[in-house]
Amino acid sequence: MSSRTAVTPRSRYLSCEGREIHFMDWEPEQPTGQVVIAWHGLARTGRDMDPLAAHLSALGWRVICPDTIGRGLSQWSPNPEAEYCLDFYARIATALVDQLALKRFHWVGTSMGGAIGMVCAAGPLHGRIERLLLNDIGPKLADDAVQRIRTYAGNPSAFDTVSELEQYFRTVYKPYGFLSDAQWRLLTESSTRRLPDGRVTPHYDPAMAQQFTHHPADYDLWPTYDRIDIPVLCLRGADSDLLLADTAEAMRDRGPRALVVTMAGCGHAPALNVPEQFELVQRFLAGH
């Protein structure tokens, strides 16, 4: 097998905890046996992981990229107060990997996706997650950043055209770092939905922001982090307003004693879409 064999992902759906969950399955024809769950951030979709998944799957790794309930093509929750929270997301993740018969796998999580990974690694998927990569997320979030997220996530902007929405995304997600024009277009088109009045808006259920109202301590995860007993790599955007430097530093000394790498030219959160980031992820997951 060539070391660089492009993989065409499959778009798939499974019922998890009674909810339809969409995911992209990057499954090589000749797999190495290595499997990665790549989970996106709060108001995003699994398609954000396309660049990383394309890179890893070309090397023979299977990469599973879910849309969280209420995002992308996954079902919106009929019970948002109870289900938009890390505990339910972890239950969905467990149901997903169980149905896919995945016994051992790695986890790469951006922002909320990393928080779900922490909950899973310390709880229902303990012993099955081999390595955990946290992309600009830690056991404590900066209060100002949480307030910023609550403001925009619960009341998403709407625009007359997709081009205007793309410009909005280019502004609010500028901290991701470099994205090519094609990547900005993919980010936009894979996370756009049209409203009844014809305008377009980000493709998620605004009620998912209720997590911060009904589960205010959801992201206070130090006790969870301290129970993790596998290798952890934390990538921190140098300009991140969500994962503060002192929190990242404390992560080196507690629990799994994470390896922390600061990513220049990024805020919250590195897009995991350039060769330098691919190399970091690949080397960590391979145990090098």
Side-chain angles (χ1 to χ4, degrees), residues 105-219:
F105 44 89
H106 307 293
W107 189 290
V108 175
T110 292
S111 194
M112 178 196 71
I116 300 170
M118 283 189 274
V119 172
C120 287
L125 296 179
H126 178 261
R128 295 171 69 180
I129 298 178
E130 297 182 274
R131 287 176 169 262
L132 174 63
L133 190 150
L134 304 175
N135 185 24
D136 209 63
I137 186 71
K140 173 64 178 175
L141 308 185
D143 292 337
D144 288 348
V146 171
Q147 186 56 45
R148 172 179 61 80
I149 292 168
R150 290 183 64 173
T151 300
Y152 83 78
N155 186 29
S157 298
F159 302 90
D160 291 331
T161 68
V162 175
S163 296
E164 289 174 292
L165 180 60
E166 180 178 325
Q167 286 304 126
Y168 167 77
F169 282 146
R170 283 174 178 258
T171 300
V172 298
Y173 294 131
K174 185 178 181 180
Y176 282 12
F178 170 79
L179 277 79
S180 67
D181 288 343
Q183 288 171 337
W184 280 118
R185 181 58 50 85
L186 173 63
L187 182 151
T188 302
E189 292 183 346
S190 62
S191 56
T192 297
R193 66 182 177 92
R194 198 167 292 277
L195 296 167
D197 65 5
R199 293 181 301 162
V200 289
T201 194
H203 204 326
Y204 65 83
D205 178 3
M208 63 85 174
Q210 293 183 18
Q211 177 182 18
F212 296 99
T213 301
H214 299 292
H215 306 272
D218 231 11
Y219 288 91

Side-chain angles (χ1 to χ4, degrees), residues 204-252:
Y204 65 83
D205 178 3
M208 63 85 174
Q210 293 183 18
Q211 177 182 18
F212 296 99
T213 301
H214 299 292
H215 306 272
D218 231 11
Y219 288 91
D220 294 338
L221 292 173
W222 277 119
T224 299
Y225 179 81
D226 287 340
R227 293 198 303 273
I228 296 173
D229 58 3
I230 55 175
V232 174
L233 170 63
C234 176
L235 302 182
R236 178 180 181 271
D239 302 317
S240 177
D241 67 339
L242 188 82
L243 176 59
L244 299 182
D246 58 350
T247 300
E249 187 63 32
M251 293 170 69
R252 299 179 194 265

